[in-house]
Amino acid sequence: MTEQFERIFGAVPAGVWAAPGRVNLIGEHTDYNDGFVLPIALPQAVSVAARPRTDGRLRLYSAQGDDVVTDLPVDALAPGVVTGWAGYPAGVVWALRAAGHPVGGADLYFGSDVPTGAGLSSSAALECATAVALRDLYRLDLPPAELALLAQRAENRFVGVPCGVMDQMASACCTEGAALFLDTRELSHRQVPFRPAEQGLVLLVIDTRVKHDLGDGAYAALRAGCERAAALLGLAALRDLDAAGLPAALDRLPTELGPLVRHVVSENERVLRAVALLDKGEFAELGPILTAGHASLRDDFEVSCAETDLAVETAVAAGALGARMTGGGFGGSVVALVPRESADAVAQAVGAAFAAAGHTAPVVFEARAAAGARRVV
Ligand code: ADP
Ligand code: MG
């Protein structure tokens, strides 16, 4: 990172920072309904070598970007001004400054091993890497949860993606060996030990290689549907409905909104059940919760696709204790909880099933719960 920084910017960086991608164990499409989520940070991260600049210029280069240095005056940053990948880090600088943080110019060189558009949250990793680097370069008093909110604001307001806060909270606040149990209404969170290897289990991530595009309006439509249902029920958010109140609520809603509400209510309950199991160390019991979550995303929320359904079905048939798509949907990745001795068989079975169906070969890797955004050099 240091050498590449010097090659591009002709100077020595002040340090190197990293922020991870994430997989969500359970709690999908709950974060914009004020609900619960349970992500882990991945070992894969966006790294950034950085130094401050005194001339108020922001220079950005990514090894995974467009092979040009984007050079912008920080004073001129405003939503709509920056297009393409540079909008994510530029948006973070804008959000920090708009919140009153004294951030000036910087040179930032990004390198990453988080696959983009795979549902593993490379965008939040890019934002949070930028934010931790600027926090330290400009000695900002910026606790991780506040950093996450500003990163989300950058993505919402500057890039124009109406994402919830889970991805940025995971990238900023996760710790090694733990899942982050997050209440997205209160932003209260707790580290829940997640070391499946201690019980002979592995968490496989299956990247289906189907690129989702959350900008295509489908996500916004789902979000709007959930908000309309809450308003019709007189609730601040669907978080305020529980399983006991569900049948009466469904009677009051137009039929097209019922399945959305059923997913959100049942998914919040699955998160709470998952946390209770992990607290007791009963990791294997998590499997059926994952699979039930997938069925709900497939049948009620209707955000799965042929590839994610095939990966889940094949993984379970080949010995996984449970599996589900993770991330916003329309492709992306699947997580599967698998006894270690079955991990190779599951990976092979999924690869074979994809080949037989004519799908692009999936990429399978084992996920460990890694640390959140941090300085590394
Ligand atoms: P996800 O967050 O699931 O990976 P998104 O569509 O939210 O998918 O974000 C992907 C986008 O983030 C990419 O299209 C690119 O603009 C940007 N991005 C992520 N990582 C990098 C990187 N290392 N370098 C440049 N751009 C990146
Ligand atoms: Mg993203």
Side-chain angles (χ1 to χ4, degrees), residues 22 46 62-65 84-86 88 110-124 126 155 161 167 212-214:
R22 62 97 189 93
V46 171
S62 170
Q64 284 75 37
W85 76 270
Y88 295 87
F110 297 95
S112 173
D113 60 354
V114 186
T116 58
L120 302 177
S121 212
S122 67
S123 61
L126 179 57
E155 187 154 343
V161 178
D167 298 350
H212 66 110
D213 184 1
L214 294 185

Side-chain angles (χ1 to χ4, degrees), residues 59-83:
R59 298 199 297 175
L60 306 166
Y61 184 93
S62 170
Q64 284 75 37
D66 44 13
D67 208 27
V68 294
V69 176
T70 300
D71 187 338
L72 305 153
V74 291
D75 282 344
L77 293 176
V81 167
V82 186
T83 55

Side-chain angles (χ1 to χ4, degrees), residues 31 65 108 127 130 155 165 216 228 278 291 355:
D31 66 345
L108 304 175
E127 292 149 13
T130 305
E155 187 154 343
V165 76
D216 70 358
R228 193 156 70 86
L278 294 186
T291 308

Side-chain angles (χ1 to χ4, degrees), residues 98 163 177 230 234 333 339 359-360:
C163 58
S333 295
H359 301 321
T360 304

